[in-house]
Amino acid sequence: MRLTRFTDLALRVLMRLAVEEGGLPTTREVAATMEVPYTHTAKVVAKLQHMGLIEARRGRGGGLALTTAGRRASVGTLVRELEGPGDVVECEGSTPCPLRAACRLRGALRQAQEAFFAALDPLTLTDLVEAPTGPLLVALSPTRESG
């Protein structure tokens, strides 16, 4: 199974926020740290905020913060929601597969997809940012200068 870029970026944004030690990083700062376009990051931030995983505060002193729900969320649950419903293969689309009425592959792929999610279910963001990942994320984050 392959994750969409959106899901990959969402997980990286959440991981970045999970290691924040002081202040609230802005969407631009997180985008720069992750080396991705601001516009993509802004879309991800909007989705994560809608899901209740992060808070986004505007104005001076604003920025992004991980919520308690975000910190405790199962990675498997996050990936399921971010990826949305759907099969690994497209059987019905504009050119339906001629085997769809008697195919065993689709069921096997659904089981494999669920096994993929199930392997992620016990993990939380806290697990993902344990050493060596967390310290690396902190090191990548720009330091803020007072002023």
Side-chain angles (χ1 to χ4, degrees), residues 8-41:
D8 174 46
L9 180 55
L11 292 172
R12 290 190 285 151
V13 166
L14 290 168
M15 290 168 63
R16 167 61 183 84
L17 295 177
V19 299
E20 184 57 40
E21 294 175 338
L24 301 175
T26 65
T27 303
R28 279 197 197 286
E29 290 169 343
V30 172
T33 300
M34 297 292 108
E35 299 180 0
V36 294
Y38 167 77
T39 53
H40 296 312
T41 307

PDB file of all heavy atoms in Angstrom, residues 8-41:
ATOM      1  N   ASP A   8       1.117  11.609   4.057  1.00  0.00           N
ATOM      2  CA  ASP A   8       2.519  11.660   4.469  1.00  0.00           C
ATOM      3  C   ASP A   8       2.842  13.016   5.098  1.00  0.00           C
ATOM      4  O   ASP A   8       3.415  13.080   6.194  1.00  0.00           O
ATOM      5  CB  ASP A   8       3.420  11.400   3.263  1.00  0.00           C
ATOM      6  CG  ASP A   8       4.890  11.568   3.583  1.00  0.00           C
ATOM      7  OD1 ASP A   8       5.348  11.051   4.625  1.00  0.00           O
ATOM      8  OD2 ASP A   8       5.597  12.227   2.798  1.00  0.00           O
ATOM      9  N   LEU A   9       2.441  14.078   4.453  1.00  0.00           N
ATOM     10  CA  LEU A   9       2.710  15.418   4.981  1.00  0.00           C
ATOM     11  C   LEU A   9       1.951  15.654   6.288  1.00  0.00           C
ATOM     12  O   LEU A   9       2.494  16.232   7.233  1.00  0.00           O
ATOM     13  CB  LEU A   9       2.360  16.490   3.951  1.00  0.00           C
ATOM     14  CG  LEU A   9       2.595  17.939   4.386  1.00  0.00           C
ATOM     15  CD1 LEU A   9       4.029  18.158   4.854  1.00  0.00           C
ATOM     16  CD2 LEU A   9       2.243  18.883   3.250  1.00  0.00           C
ATOM     17  N   ALA A  10       0.717  15.185   6.358  1.00  0.00           N
ATOM     18  CA  ALA A  10      -0.066  15.360   7.589  1.00  0.00           C
ATOM     19  C   ALA A  10       0.625  14.682   8.767  1.00  0.00           C
ATOM     20  O   ALA A  10       0.724  15.262   9.855  1.00  0.00           O
ATOM     21  CB  ALA A  10      -1.476  14.799   7.405  1.00  0.00           C
ATOM     22  N   LEU A  11       1.127  13.481   8.569  1.00  0.00           N
ATOM     23  CA  LEU A  11       1.831  12.783   9.643  1.00  0.00           C
ATOM     24  C   LEU A  11       3.107  13.517  10.033  1.00  0.00           C
ATOM     25  O   LEU A  11       3.432  13.646  11.215  1.00  0.00           O
ATOM     26  CB  LEU A  11       2.129  11.336   9.239  1.00  0.00           C
ATOM     27  CG  LEU A  11       0.904  10.432   9.099  1.00  0.00           C
ATOM     28  CD1 LEU A  11       1.299   9.085   8.497  1.00  0.00           C
ATOM     29  CD2 LEU A  11       0.211  10.245  10.435  1.00  0.00           C
ATOM     30  N   ARG A  12       3.830  14.040   9.045  1.00  0.00           N
ATOM     31  CA  ARG A  12       5.062  14.784   9.349  1.00  0.00           C
ATOM     32  C   ARG A  12       4.760  16.087  10.084  1.00  0.00           C
ATOM     33  O   ARG A  12       5.493  16.461  11.002  1.00  0.00           O
ATOM     34  CB  ARG A  12       5.864  15.033   8.079  1.00  0.00           C
ATOM     35  CG  ARG A  12       6.477  13.748   7.544  1.00  0.00           C
ATOM     36  CD  ARG A  12       7.473  13.995   6.444  1.00  0.00           C
ATOM     37  NE  ARG A  12       6.824  14.345   5.198  1.00  0.00           N
ATOM     38  CZ  ARG A  12       7.375  15.123   4.270  1.00  0.00           C
ATOM     39  NH1 ARG A  12       8.570  15.637   4.444  1.00  0.00           N
ATOM     40  NH2 ARG A  12       6.733  15.371   3.153  1.00  0.00           N
ATOM     41  N   VAL A  13       3.671  16.764   9.717  1.00  0.00           N
ATOM     42  CA  VAL A  13       3.277  17.991  10.426  1.00  0.00           C
ATOM     43  C   VAL A  13       2.939  17.656  11.876  1.00  0.00           C
ATOM     44  O   VAL A  13       3.382  18.341  12.807  1.00  0.00           O
ATOM     45  CB  VAL A  13       2.085  18.685   9.726  1.00  0.00           C
ATOM     46  CG1 VAL A  13       1.456  19.753  10.616  1.00  0.00           C
ATOM     47  CG2 VAL A  13       2.530  19.296   8.399  1.00  0.00           C
ATOM     48  N   LEU A  14       2.167  16.602  12.085  1.00  0.00           N
ATOM     49  CA  LEU A  14       1.811  16.203  13.441  1.00  0.00           C
ATOM     50  C   LEU A  14       3.047  15.831  14.257  1.00  0.00           C
ATOM     51  O   LEU A  14       3.172  16.197  15.431  1.00  0.00           O
ATOM     52  CB  LEU A  14       0.821  15.034  13.414  1.00  0.00           C
ATOM     53  CG  LEU A  14      -0.582  15.374  12.910  1.00  0.00           C
ATOM     54  CD1 LEU A  14      -1.377  14.099  12.648  1.00  0.00           C
ATOM     55  CD2 LEU A  14      -1.310  16.280  13.888  1.00  0.00           C
ATOM     56  N   MET A  15       3.975  15.122  13.637  1.00  0.00           N
ATOM     57  CA  MET A  15       5.208  14.755  14.324  1.00  0.00           C
ATOM     58  C   MET A  15       6.010  15.998  14.691  1.00  0.00           C
ATOM     59  O   MET A  15       6.553  16.097  15.792  1.00  0.00           O
ATOM     60  CB  MET A  15       6.044  13.808  13.451  1.00  0.00           C
ATOM     61  CG  MET A  15       5.439  12.435  13.305  1.00  0.00           C
ATOM     62  SD  MET A  15       6.222  11.421  12.014  1.00  0.00           S
ATOM     63  CE  MET A  15       7.880  11.271  12.658  1.00  0.00           C
ATOM     64  N   ARG A  16       6.073  16.949  13.778  1.00  0.00           N
ATOM     65  CA  ARG A  16       6.803  18.195  14.054  1.00  0.00           C
ATOM     66  C   ARG A  16       6.185  18.924  15.244  1.00  0.00           C
ATOM     67  O   ARG A  16       6.885  19.407  16.131  1.00  0.00           O
ATOM     68  CB  ARG A  16       6.790  19.076  12.802  1.00  0.00           C
ATOM     69  CG  ARG A  16       7.218  20.511  12.977  1.00  0.00           C
ATOM     70  CD  ARG A  16       8.660  20.634  13.469  1.00  0.00           C
ATOM     71  NE  ARG A  16       9.009  22.001  13.697  1.00  0.00           N
ATOM     72  CZ  ARG A  16       8.753  22.690  14.815  1.00  0.00           C
ATOM     73  NH1 ARG A  16       8.108  22.120  15.805  1.00  0.00           N
ATOM     74  NH2 ARG A  16       9.122  23.934  14.949  1.00  0.00           N
ATOM     75  N   LEU A  17       4.868  18.986  15.291  1.00  0.00           N
ATOM     76  CA  LEU A  17       4.193  19.674  16.393  1.00  0.00           C
ATOM     77  C   LEU A  17       4.331  18.906  17.702  1.00  0.00           C
ATOM     78  O   LEU A  17       4.338  19.507  18.779  1.00  0.00           O
ATOM     79  CB  LEU A  17       2.722  19.908  16.056  1.00  0.00           C
ATOM     80  CG  LEU A  17       2.468  20.855  14.874  1.00  0.00           C
ATOM     81  CD1 LEU A  17       0.982  20.959  14.597  1.00  0.00           C
ATOM     82  CD2 LEU A  17       3.078  22.224  15.122  1.00  0.00           C
ATOM     83  N   ALA A  18       4.478  17.595  17.621  1.00  0.00           N
ATOM     84  CA  ALA A  18       4.606  16.776  18.827  1.00  0.00           C
ATOM     85  C   ALA A  18       5.916  17.036  19.571  1.00  0.00           C
ATOM     86  O   ALA A  18       6.004  16.764  20.758  1.00  0.00           O
ATOM     87  CB  ALA A  18       4.493  15.296  18.477  1.00  0.00           C
ATOM     88  N   VAL A  19       6.921  17.566  18.880  1.00  0.00           N
ATOM     89  CA  VAL A  19       8.209  17.822  19.534  1.00  0.00           C
ATOM     90  C   VAL A  19       8.425  19.296  19.865  1.00  0.00           C
ATOM     91  O   VAL A  19       9.490  19.656  20.351  1.00  0.00           O
ATOM     92  CB  VAL A  19       9.403  17.297  18.696  1.00  0.00           C
ATOM     93  CG1 VAL A  19       9.302  15.795  18.515  1.00  0.00           C
ATOM     94  CG2 VAL A  19       9.518  18.025  17.377  1.00  0.00           C
ATOM     95  N   GLU A  20       7.429  20.124  19.614  1.00  0.00           N
ATOM     96  CA  GLU A  20       7.583  21.562  19.875  1.00  0.00           C
ATOM     97  C   GLU A  20       7.831  21.784  21.358  1.00  0.00           C
ATOM     98  O   GLU A  20       7.067  21.338  22.199  1.00  0.00           O
ATOM     99  CB  GLU A  20       6.334  22.333  19.414  1.00  0.00           C
ATOM    100  CG  GLU A  20       6.450  23.819  19.570  1.00  0.00           C
ATOM    101  CD  GLU A  20       7.645  24.414  18.846  1.00  0.00           C
ATOM    102  OE1 GLU A  20       7.944  23.988  17.716  1.00  0.00           O
ATOM    103  OE2 GLU A  20       8.282  25.299  19.422  1.00  0.00           O
ATOM    104  N   GLU A  21       8.904  22.501  21.646  1.00  0.00           N
ATOM    105  CA  GLU A  21       9.299  22.720  23.034  1.00  0.00           C
ATOM    106  C   GLU A  21       8.981  24.119  23.539  1.00  0.00           C
ATOM    107  O   GLU A  21       8.959  24.349  24.732  1.00  0.00           O
ATOM    108  CB  GLU A  21      10.789  22.427  23.192  1.00  0.00           C
ATOM    109  CG  GLU A  21      11.104  20.961  22.956  1.00  0.00           C
ATOM    110  CD  GLU A  21      12.588  20.668  22.995  1.00  0.00           C
ATOM    111  OE1 GLU A  21      13.393  21.595  22.783  1.00  0.00           O
ATOM    112  OE2 GLU A  21      12.930  19.510  23.236  1.00  0.00           O
ATOM    113  N   GLY A  22       8.784  25.041  22.657  1.00  0.00           N
ATOM    114  CA  GLY A  22       8.490  26.395  23.108  1.00  0.00           C
ATOM    115  C   GLY A  22       7.901  27.196  21.972  1.00  0.00           C
ATOM    116  O   GLY A  22       8.263  27.034  20.823  1.00  0.00           O
ATOM    117  N   GLY A  23       6.967  28.047  22.280  1.00  0.00           N
ATOM    118  CA  GLY A  23       6.342  28.841  21.229  1.00  0.00           C
ATOM    119  C   GLY A  23       5.466  27.994  20.333  1.00  0.00           C
ATOM    120  O   GLY A  23       5.358  26.786  20.494  1.00  0.00           O
ATOM    121  N   LEU A  24       4.841  28.640  19.409  1.00  0.00           N
ATOM    122  CA  LEU A  24       3.970  27.964  18.457  1.00  0.00           C
ATOM    123  C   LEU A  24       4.503  28.209  17.051  1.00  0.00           C
ATOM    124  O   LEU A  24       4.532  29.349  16.599  1.00  0.00           O
ATOM    125  CB  LEU A  24       2.538  28.494  18.569  1.00  0.00           C
ATOM    126  CG  LEU A  24       1.856  28.362  19.929  1.00  0.00           C
ATOM    127  CD1 LEU A  24       0.500  29.047  19.899  1.00  0.00           C
ATOM    128  CD2 LEU A  24       1.724  26.912  20.312  1.00  0.00           C
ATOM    129  N   PRO A  25       4.930  27.161  16.352  1.00  0.00           N
ATOM    130  CA  PRO A  25       5.415  27.373  14.987  1.00  0.00           C
ATOM    131  C   PRO A  25       4.262  27.756  14.065  1.00  0.00           C
ATOM    132  O   PRO A  25       3.133  27.319  14.255  1.00  0.00           O
ATOM    133  CB  PRO A  25       5.997  26.018  14.596  1.00  0.00           C
ATOM    134  CG  PRO A  25       5.255  25.037  15.436  1.00  0.00           C
ATOM    135  CD  PRO A  25       4.944  25.755  16.727  1.00  0.00           C
ATOM    136  N   THR A  26       4.566  28.556  13.077  1.00  0.00           N
ATOM    137  CA  THR A  26       3.561  28.936  12.091  1.00  0.00           C
ATOM    138  C   THR A  26       3.514  27.876  10.988  1.00  0.00           C
ATOM    139  O   THR A  26       4.417  27.033  10.880  1.00  0.00           O
ATOM    140  CB  THR A  26       3.900  30.292  11.458  1.00  0.00           C
ATOM    141  OG1 THR A  26       5.119  30.152  10.709  1.00  0.00           O
ATOM    142  CG2 THR A  26       4.044  31.391  12.512  1.00  0.00           C
ATOM    143  N   THR A  27       2.495  27.962  10.184  1.00  0.00           N
ATOM    144  CA  THR A  27       2.388  27.053   9.048  1.00  0.00           C
ATOM    145  C   THR A  27       3.591  27.221   8.130  1.00  0.00           C
ATOM    146  O   THR A  27       4.142  26.237   7.634  1.00  0.00           O
ATOM    147  CB  THR A  27       1.069  27.306   8.282  1.00  0.00           C
ATOM    148  OG1 THR A  27      -0.022  27.148   9.188  1.00  0.00           O
ATOM    149  CG2 THR A  27       0.906  26.343   7.117  1.00  0.00           C
ATOM    150  N   ARG A  28       4.025  28.451   7.916  1.00  0.00           N
ATOM    151  CA  ARG A  28       5.206  28.700   7.070  1.00  0.00           C
ATOM    152  C   ARG A  28       6.459  28.050   7.651  1.00  0.00           C
ATOM    153  O   ARG A  28       7.263  27.473   6.917  1.00  0.00           O
ATOM    154  CB  ARG A  28       5.442  30.200   6.906  1.00  0.00           C
ATOM    155  CG  ARG A  28       4.581  30.804   5.862  1.00  0.00           C
ATOM    156  CD  ARG A  28       5.078  32.162   5.396  1.00  0.00           C
ATOM    157  NE  ARG A  28       4.016  32.838   4.709  1.00  0.00           N
ATOM    158  CZ  ARG A  28       3.596  32.537   3.486  1.00  0.00           C
ATOM    159  NH1 ARG A  28       4.163  31.576   2.812  1.00  0.00           N
ATOM    160  NH2 ARG A  28       2.603  33.200   2.938  1.00  0.00           N
ATOM    161  N   GLU A  29       6.629  28.150   8.955  1.00  0.00           N
ATOM    162  CA  GLU A  29       7.803  27.554   9.595  1.00  0.00           C
ATOM    163  C   GLU A  29       7.782  26.031   9.473  1.00  0.00           C
ATOM    164  O   GLU A  29       8.808  25.416   9.191  1.00  0.00           O
ATOM    165  CB  GLU A  29       7.887  27.970  11.064  1.00  0.00           C
ATOM    166  CG  GLU A  29       8.238  29.422  11.259  1.00  0.00           C
ATOM    167  CD  GLU A  29       8.073  29.897  12.693  1.00  0.00           C
ATOM    168  OE1 GLU A  29       7.392  29.222  13.495  1.00  0.00           O
ATOM    169  OE2 GLU A  29       8.634  30.965  13.003  1.00  0.00           O
ATOM    170  N   VAL A  30       6.607  25.455   9.669  1.00  0.00           N
ATOM    171  CA  VAL A  30       6.494  23.995   9.543  1.00  0.00           C
ATOM    172  C   VAL A  30       6.760  23.583   8.094  1.00  0.00           C
ATOM    173  O   VAL A  30       7.476  22.619   7.849  1.00  0.00           O
ATOM    174  CB  VAL A  30       5.112  23.502  10.034  1.00  0.00           C
ATOM    175  CG1 VAL A  30       4.924  22.024   9.718  1.00  0.00           C
ATOM    176  CG2 VAL A  30       4.958  23.755  11.528  1.00  0.00           C
ATOM    177  N   ALA A  31       6.232  24.317   7.137  1.00  0.00           N
ATOM    178  CA  ALA A  31       6.465  24.016   5.719  1.00  0.00           C
ATOM    179  C   ALA A  31       7.955  24.085   5.394  1.00  0.00           C
ATOM    180  O   ALA A  31       8.487  23.211   4.698  1.00  0.00           O
ATOM    181  CB  ALA A  31       5.680  24.982   4.838  1.00  0.00           C
ATOM    182  N   ALA A  32       8.624  25.110   5.922  1.00  0.00           N
ATOM    183  CA  ALA A  32      10.061  25.250   5.679  1.00  0.00           C
ATOM    184  C   ALA A  32      10.837  24.096   6.304  1.00  0.00           C
ATOM    185  O   ALA A  32      11.741  23.535   5.675  1.00  0.00           O
ATOM    186  CB  ALA A  32      10.554  26.597   6.217  1.00  0.00           C
ATOM    187  N   THR A  33      10.481  23.712   7.518  1.00  0.00           N
ATOM    188  CA  THR A  33      11.157  22.608   8.201  1.00  0.00           C
ATOM    189  C   THR A  33      10.986  21.313   7.427  1.00  0.00           C
ATOM    190  O   THR A  33      11.923  20.533   7.280  1.00  0.00           O
ATOM    191  CB  THR A  33      10.607  22.426   9.625  1.00  0.00           C
ATOM    192  OG1 THR A  33      10.825  23.623  10.364  1.00  0.00           O
ATOM    193  CG2 THR A  33      11.273  21.274  10.340  1.00  0.00           C
ATOM    194  N   MET A  34       9.786  21.081   6.907  1.00  0.00           N
ATOM    195  CA  MET A  34       9.492  19.845   6.182  1.00  0.00           C
ATOM    196  C   MET A  34       9.905  19.920   4.709  1.00  0.00           C
ATOM    197  O   MET A  34       9.781  18.936   3.985  1.00  0.00           O
ATOM    198  CB  MET A  34       7.996  19.518   6.264  1.00  0.00           C
ATOM    199  CG  MET A  34       7.479  19.243   7.660  1.00  0.00           C
ATOM    200  SD  MET A  34       8.126  17.720   8.357  1.00  0.00           S
ATOM    201  CE  MET A  34       9.244  18.351   9.572  1.00  0.00           C
ATOM    202  N   GLU A  35      10.360  21.113   4.285  1.00  0.00           N
ATOM    203  CA  GLU A  35      10.793  21.342   2.909  1.00  0.00           C
ATOM    204  C   GLU A  35       9.710  21.004   1.891  1.00  0.00           C
ATOM    205  O   GLU A  35       9.926  20.275   0.925  1.00  0.00           O
ATOM    206  CB  GLU A  35      12.085  20.573   2.610  1.00  0.00           C
ATOM    207  CG  GLU A  35      13.234  21.011   3.493  1.00  0.00           C
ATOM    208  CD  GLU A  35      14.533  20.274   3.216  1.00  0.00           C
ATOM    209  OE1 GLU A  35      14.571  19.391   2.323  1.00  0.00           O
ATOM    210  OE2 GLU A  35      15.509  20.577   3.908  1.00  0.00           O
ATOM    211  N   VAL A  36       8.497  21.522   2.163  1.00  0.00           N
ATOM    212  CA  VAL A  36       7.363  21.349   1.258  1.00  0.00           C
ATOM    213  C   VAL A  36       6.718  22.711   1.018  1.00  0.00           C
ATOM    214  O   VAL A  36       6.880  23.627   1.815  1.00  0.00           O
ATOM    215  CB  VAL A  36       6.318  20.349   1.818  1.00  0.00           C
ATOM    216  CG1 VAL A  36       6.906  18.950   1.900  1.00  0.00           C
ATOM    217  CG2 VAL A  36       5.821  20.783   3.171  1.00  0.00           C
ATOM    218  N   PRO A  37       5.972  22.859  -0.067  1.00  0.00           N
ATOM    219  CA  PRO A  37       5.341  24.143  -0.347  1.00  0.00           C
ATOM    220  C   PRO A  37       4.354  24.561   0.748  1.00  0.00           C
ATOM    221  O   PRO A  37       3.630  23.728   1.310  1.00  0.00           O
ATOM    222  CB  PRO A  37       4.607  23.909  -1.669  1.00  0.00           C
ATOM    223  CG  PRO A  37       5.299  22.745  -2.297  1.00  0.00           C
ATOM    224  CD  PRO A  37       5.762  21.899  -1.156  1.00  0.00           C
ATOM    225  N   TYR A  38       4.316  25.847   1.008  1.00  0.00           N
ATOM    226  CA  TYR A  38       3.415  26.411   2.004  1.00  0.00           C
ATOM    227  C   TYR A  38       1.959  26.068   1.676  1.00  0.00           C
ATOM    228  O   TYR A  38       1.190  25.720   2.571  1.00  0.00           O
ATOM    229  CB  TYR A  38       3.601  27.927   2.079  1.00  0.00           C
ATOM    230  CG  TYR A  38       2.504  28.616   2.847  1.00  0.00           C
ATOM    231  CD1 TYR A  38       2.486  28.582   4.236  1.00  0.00           C
ATOM    232  CD2 TYR A  38       1.465  29.275   2.188  1.00  0.00           C
ATOM    233  CE1 TYR A  38       1.469  29.189   4.952  1.00  0.00           C
ATOM    234  CE2 TYR A  38       0.448  29.877   2.893  1.00  0.00           C
ATOM    235  CZ  TYR A  38       0.454  29.841   4.274  1.00  0.00           C
ATOM    236  OH  TYR A  38      -0.556  30.427   4.978  1.00  0.00           O
ATOM    237  N   THR A  39       1.582  26.156   0.404  1.00  0.00           N
ATOM    238  CA  THR A  39       0.177  25.924   0.039  1.00  0.00           C
ATOM    239  C   THR A  39      -0.265  24.503   0.391  1.00  0.00           C
ATOM    240  O   THR A  39      -1.378  24.302   0.860  1.00  0.00           O
ATOM    241  CB  THR A  39      -0.062  26.182  -1.458  1.00  0.00           C
ATOM    242  OG1 THR A  39       0.875  25.411  -2.223  1.00  0.00           O
ATOM    243  CG2 THR A  39       0.096  27.655  -1.790  1.00  0.00           C
ATOM    244  N   HIS A  40       0.611  23.523   0.181  1.00  0.00           N
ATOM    245  CA  HIS A  40       0.275  22.137   0.543  1.00  0.00           C
ATOM    246  C   HIS A  40       0.134  22.016   2.059  1.00  0.00           C
ATOM    247  O   HIS A  40      -0.785  21.367   2.561  1.00  0.00           O
ATOM    248  CB  HIS A  40       1.331  21.155   0.061  1.00  0.00           C
ATOM    249  CG  HIS A  40       1.475  21.070  -1.417  1.00  0.00           C
ATOM    250  ND1 HIS A  40       0.412  20.925  -2.284  1.00  0.00           N
ATOM    251  CD2 HIS A  40       2.573  21.111  -2.207  1.00  0.00           C
ATOM    252  CE1 HIS A  40       0.836  20.875  -3.522  1.00  0.00           C
ATOM    253  NE2 HIS A  40       2.146  20.998  -3.512  1.00  0.00           N
ATOM    254  N   THR A  41       1.059  22.635   2.759  1.00  0.00           N
ATOM    255  CA  THR A  41       1.035  22.568   4.219  1.00  0.00           C
ATOM    256  C   THR A  41      -0.212  23.242   4.768  1.00  0.00           C
ATOM    257  O   THR A  41      -0.831  22.739   5.705  1.00  0.00           O
ATOM    258  CB  THR A  41       2.306  23.214   4.806  1.00  0.00           C
ATOM    259  OG1 THR A  41       3.447  22.618   4.178  1.00  0.00           O
ATOM    260  CG2 THR A  41       2.399  23.006   6.310  1.00  0.00           C
TER     261      THR A  41
END
